[in-house]
């Protein structure tokens, strides 16, 4: 489901969001999750009864993306199934002293689910922002399909957020009513995609100027699915909301688990089993009969399976099987399809599909050693 959230509000909406979140609880950054707050309308002890006069200080937000994270509500922003027509946040007026901070990477921490039809595993990125001295707008970008989870320190306020990427992007952890725009290339969004690192960095300033009217002040690279914006003080605590959507709720409905989690699930259900040398020999014999596989003699030795060409991470397909997304690089596997079993569906990535019935091999890495 495509979420493009475009909320045309002026800065006073961000102030209202500050009041809305005044009573949130504050877990420390070292904790694995952002803890839920007491909910909407709660106020922190000692919170003012009226909005303060004068310019509003918008502070940075902290994003955490983890399946157990309890992010913020999205009932106020409008969710639509079609992308916005223009690359802008309607009605957004930023203070003159607002800071534009970018954060992201090519991808975040691998999740075991999908959020789009790209065939790529979703990734998650936690973003932590601490900037109590100026209003903040965020430009969050990744190439891979990514769920961004946001939290912030007290005294930090966010004026607006732009999330962009090549594959689908999702955002959680922000208060309702905050001006947000989500645009990805694969969902036909109106904005170009950008991210921190490589060729993605060249697009950060042009995109920030287009949406926010000014370039990025500082860009922060995410590492291991985590980006920290600003210098968090020792013992910094983060704020989140009780009604936020957990990251896992963005999983594409009906899609099987991705990566190794999908393989493990298929083994548990009896669709796959670990392959044996006998499976390899049956495939090779079928290949010789059909002029395909190489004629390799039996090799005696201590590590018989490896020396006889047994692929690492190999499985035998016993029933109809959909190959999980994300089987690229070190995550690739070899699937031996038993005679009479239909060909697997799905995107093999860098995996091989070997048919024991005829000795054929299908996949980008077939023939490679």
């Amino acid at each position: 489901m495509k979420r493009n959230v475009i909320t045309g509000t002026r800065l006073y909406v961000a102030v209202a969001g500050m009041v809305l979140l005044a009573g949130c609880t504050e877990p420390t950054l070292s904790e694995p999750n952002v803890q839920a707050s007491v909910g909407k309308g709660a106020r922190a002890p000692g919170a003012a009864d009226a909005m303060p006069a004068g310019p509003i200080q918008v502070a940075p937000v902290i994003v955490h993306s983890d399946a157990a994270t309890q992010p913020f509500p999205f009932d106020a922003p409008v969710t639509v199934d079609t992308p916005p027509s223009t690359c802008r946040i309607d009605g957004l007026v930023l203070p003159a002293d607002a800071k534009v901070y970018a954060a992201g990477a090519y991808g975040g921490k691998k999740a075991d689910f999908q959020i789009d039809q790209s065939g790529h595993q979703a990734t998650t990125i936690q973003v932590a922002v601490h900037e109590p001295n100026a209003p903040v707008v965020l430009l969050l970008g990744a190439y891979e399909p990514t769920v961004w989870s946001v939290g912030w320190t007290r005294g930090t306020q966010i004026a607006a957020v732009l999330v962009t990427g090549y594959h689908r992007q999702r955002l959680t952890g922000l208060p309702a009513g905050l001006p947000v725009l989500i645009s990805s290339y694969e969902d036909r969004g109106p904005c170009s995609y950008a991210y921190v690192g490589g060729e993605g960095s060249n697009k950060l300033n042009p995109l920030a100027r287009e949406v926010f009217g000014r370039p990025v002040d500082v860009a922060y690279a995410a590492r291991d699915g985590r980006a920290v914006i600003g210098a968090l003080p020792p013992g910094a605590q983060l704020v989140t909301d009780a009604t936020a959507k957990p990251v896992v709720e963005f999983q594409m409905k009906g899609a099987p688990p991705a990566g190794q989690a999908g393989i493990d699930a298929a083994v548990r259900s009896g669709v796959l089993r670990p392959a044996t040398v006998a499976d390899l020999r049956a495939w090779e014999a079928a290949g010789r009969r059909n002029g395909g596989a190489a004629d390799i003699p039996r090799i005696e030795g201590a590590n018989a399976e490896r020396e006889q060409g047994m692929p690492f991470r190999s499985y035998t397909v016993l029933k109809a099987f959909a190959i999980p997304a994300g089987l690229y690089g070190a995550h690739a596997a070899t699937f031996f399809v038993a005679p009479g079993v239909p060909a697997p569906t799905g995107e093999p990535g860098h995996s091989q599909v070997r048919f024991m019935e005829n000795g054929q091999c299908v996949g980008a890495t077939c023939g490679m050693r």
Side-chain angles (χ1 to χ4, degrees):
M1 179 187 70
K2 165 72 177 166
R3 180 197 305 270
N4 285 303
V5 185
I6 307 179
T7 308
T9 59
R10 296 188 181 275
L11 190 57
Y12 66 82
V13 175
V15 179
M18 193 69 176
V19 172
L20 193 66
L21 296 164
C24 298
T25 58
E26 302 176 330
T28 61
L29 185 61
S30 61
E31 294 179 24
N33 307 323
V34 176
Q35 300 298 314
S37 76
V38 295
K40 283 197 209 176
R43 291 169 42 193
D49 291 333
M51 295 305 301
I56 300 166
Q57 298 298 311
V58 183
V61 176
I62 301 174
V63 178
H64 293 275
S65 99
D66 190 329
T69 297
Q70 298 296 318
F72 292 79
F74 271 107
D75 50 329
V78 178
T79 300
V80 294
D81 293 326
T82 56
S85 58
T86 57
C87 186
R88 68 167 182 262
I89 300 176
D90 291 332
L92 178 66
V93 177
L94 295 178
D97 62 339
K99 297 294 185 181
V100 179
Y101 293 137
Y106 188 88
K109 183 179 179 180
K110 290 285 188 182
D112 62 357
F113 56 86
Q114 299 167 250
I115 61 172
D116 62 10
Q117 301 278 3
S118 67
H120 291 221
Q121 283 176 269
T123 72
T124 62
I125 295 181
Q126 300 178 343
V127 178
V129 185
H130 175 71
E131 172 53 270
N133 300 316
V136 170
V137 293
L138 299 178
L139 194 172
L140 307 177
Y143 181 91
E144 295 286 11
T146 299
V147 181
W148 301 83
S149 184
V150 180
W152 59 92
T153 56
R154 287 200 183 277
T156 290
Q157 191 181 4
I158 304 271
V161 180
L162 166 65
V163 185
T164 180
Y166 185 88
H167 298 294
R168 178 169 296 170
Q169 307 293 305
R170 289 292 181 256
L171 178 66
T172 189
L174 293 172
L178 189 74
V180 173
L181 170 62
I182 301 177
S183 175
S184 67
Y185 175 84
E186 282 205 342
D187 283 333
R188 302 181 304 279
C191 303
S192 62
Y193 67 91
Y195 53 90
V196 180
E199 64 178 14
S201 297
N202 298 331
K203 304 176 182 179
L204 290 172
N205 277 339
L207 184 55
R209 289 189 180 96
E210 182 177 6
V211 177
F212 301 126
R214 62 195 74 178
V216 172
D217 289 290
V218 183
Y220 296 85
R223 294 287 185 270
D224 299 321
R226 190 175 181 82
V228 177
I229 295 176
L232 292 175
Q237 294 179 316
L238 309 182
V239 181
T240 188
D241 188 276
T243 59
K245 292 181 63 175
V247 168
V248 72
E249 288 194 15
F250 294 96
Q251 179 175 0
M252 190 171 64
K253 303 305 181 186
Q260 187 62 42
I263 292 176
D264 293 342
V267 171
R268 289 193 299 270
S269 65
V271 173
L272 300 179
R273 64 165 171 77
T276 65
V277 173
D279 297 326
L280 172 64
R281 293 292 169 256
W283 173 75
E284 291 175 341
R288 287 192 295 271
R289 289 195 301 270
N290 292 281
D295 188 2
I296 301 175
R298 177 180 178 82
I299 303 173
E300 296 291 345
N303 191 345
E305 288 196 359
R306 283 294 183 87
E307 293 182 7
Q308 291 173 36
M310 192 66 187
F312 182 63
R313 288 170 46 84
S314 56
Y315 302 86
T316 298
V317 183
L318 305 174
K319 303 177 183 177
F321 172 57
I323 298 174
L327 300 185
Y328 294 89
H331 302 286
T334 298
F335 300 103
F336 291 93
V337 181
V341 175
T345 60
E347 170 56 54
H350 292 152
S351 296
Q352 295 182 14
V353 180
R354 300 184 180 186
F355 295 89
M356 295 164 62
E357 195 163 25
N358 56 23
Q360 292 183 351
C361 179
V362 175
T365 60
C366 286
M368 297 175 61
R369 290 288 181 179

